[in-house]
Amino acid sequence: MMDLKELLRYFSESETIGENPEAIQLMRYYSREAQKITMQINTQYHEPDELQALFSELIGKPVDQGFGLFPPFYTDFGKNITVGKNVFINAGCKFQDQGGIFIDDGALIGHGVVLATLNHDLAPEKRQALHPAPIHIGKRVWIGANATICSGVTIGDNAVVAAGAVVVKDVPADTIVGGVPAKVIKRIDE
């Protein structure tokens, strides 16, 4: 039987997921676990240390004392999220993390941000196939409200993603991006 470590390796090494029944069964198990924990997070008030403990349980690894979360928060898997020190996630965020979400130290995630690490196949006959790719968010990145970060994107250190942007390709460090699709607006030091 596949374990979580093997499932995460399967996600990171596969171009397409959904063809391995054992992996799908285990993914659904962790999805149900994520639903239970996010229901706990979202349906009653918690002190910051309680939210840190619940989020640590959700992702399967500890978060530091500087981690902050304003519920509600949603994820459809949970176990492929890694957060650095002093990360803040604002209310209403949705993380689809099977492909892997890596948030580095000091990142700020605004209201209603979507981080989506899966794409469906474009060919109609293969539409059920899922293609995972990780999202990497660098140090001190600020992602504005209601932005969407698509699979396979890396956002460089100190970058700013404007509210409502849809980011489909990598963002250079020390830049501000915005729009649909997001484009570089300017360098931060300008």
Side-chain angles (χ1 to χ4, degrees):
M1 181 81 178
M2 183 181 277
D3 65 15
L4 177 59
K5 187 175 181 178
E6 292 167 321
L7 179 64
L8 294 175
R9 186 172 39 252
Y10 169 70
F11 288 159
S12 71
E13 294 174 355
S14 299
E15 287 185 24
T16 303
I17 60 175
E19 298 161 347
N20 179 329
E22 187 179 1
I24 293 302
Q25 181 180 2
L26 191 56
M27 182 174 73
R28 289 181 178 156
Y29 167 82
Y30 284 108
S31 293
R32 288 188 300 277
E33 183 179 277
Q35 290 171 4
K36 290 175 189 175
I37 298 168
T38 56
M39 284 295 289
Q40 288 180 293
I41 289 171
N42 296 337
T43 58
Q44 60 185 335
Y45 175 78
H46 299 282
E47 292 295 331
D49 60 330
E50 295 172 313
L51 282 172
Q52 290 165 358
L54 284 166
F55 201 84
S56 294
E57 181 183 357
L58 176 66
I59 68 173
K61 51 192 100 102
V63 296
D64 83 313
Q65 295 284 331
F67 173 81
L69 172 70
F70 282 0
F73 174 81
Y74 306 94
T75 184
D76 60 357
F77 182 67
K79 297 297 189 230
N80 211 359
I81 300 169
T82 302
V83 296
K85 295 177 181 175
N86 298 312
V87 168
F88 178 72
I89 301 170
N90 219 323
C93 290
K94 299 173 180 80
F95 289 12
Q96 179 193 56
D97 63 291
Q98 288 88 340
I101 294 173
F102 304 91
I103 305 172
D104 216 331
D105 298 349
L108 304 172
I109 313 296
H111 287 88
V113 167
V114 173
L115 303 180
T117 66
L118 294 175
N119 273 323
H120 287 275
D121 204 282
L122 291 177
E125 66 277 3
K126 297 179 183 178
R127 192 63 45 90
Q128 295 299 317
L130 297 170
H131 304 289
I135 292 172
H136 295 269
I137 298 171
K139 293 178 181 167
R140 297 169 304 279
V141 167
W142 172 23
I143 301 177
N146 296 310
T148 297
I149 313 301
C150 295
S151 64
V153 167
T154 295
I155 300 175
D157 293 349
N158 306 313
V160 175
V161 177
V166 176
V167 183
V168 297
K169 61 183 181 179
D170 291 353
V171 174
D174 302 304
T175 61
I176 300 170
V177 299
V180 179
K183 293 179 175 33
V184 173
I185 296 170
K186 69 178 206 165
R187 290 198 46 82
I188 288 176
D189 55 5
E190 291 178 344

